[in-house]
Amino acid sequence: MKTLSIITYIIGSILLIISCFTVSVAATWWTGGIALLFLILGCIFQFNANKQTDYLRHHHR
């Protein structure tokens, strides 16, 4: 999960940067929206990875 969150953060960041340089307004909104989706997915994956780590840390001693 941690690797997946890093990958989605990287993809989201790249798409966000690309959206700043598009000439079409529609393309800017679409790439920005997809970038936001990837960044939110990165947050979800990171939260789940931390939750899983905490579970393993507290319940498997």
Side-chain angles (χ1 to χ4, degrees):
M1 279 290 183
K2 196 170 204 170
T3 305
L4 193 57
S5 69
I6 292 170
I7 291 170
T8 54
Y9 278 138
I10 290 171
I11 292 171
S13 299
I14 290 170
L15 286 172
L16 194 60
I17 291 169
I18 290 171
S19 74
C20 293
F21 296 104
T22 55
V23 292
S24 167
V25 174
T28 301
W29 278 98
W30 276 105
T31 53
I34 294 170
L36 185 62
L37 178 69
F38 272 96
L39 292 172
I40 290 171
L41 284 174
C43 292
I44 292 169
F45 292 145
Q46 183 179 6
F47 175 77
N48 286 335
N50 289 339
K51 198 165 121 176
Q52 182 180 16
T53 303
D54 288 342
Y55 176 80
L56 292 174
R57 186 178 298 145
H58 293 294
H59 294 292
H60 291 279
R61 287 187 176 185

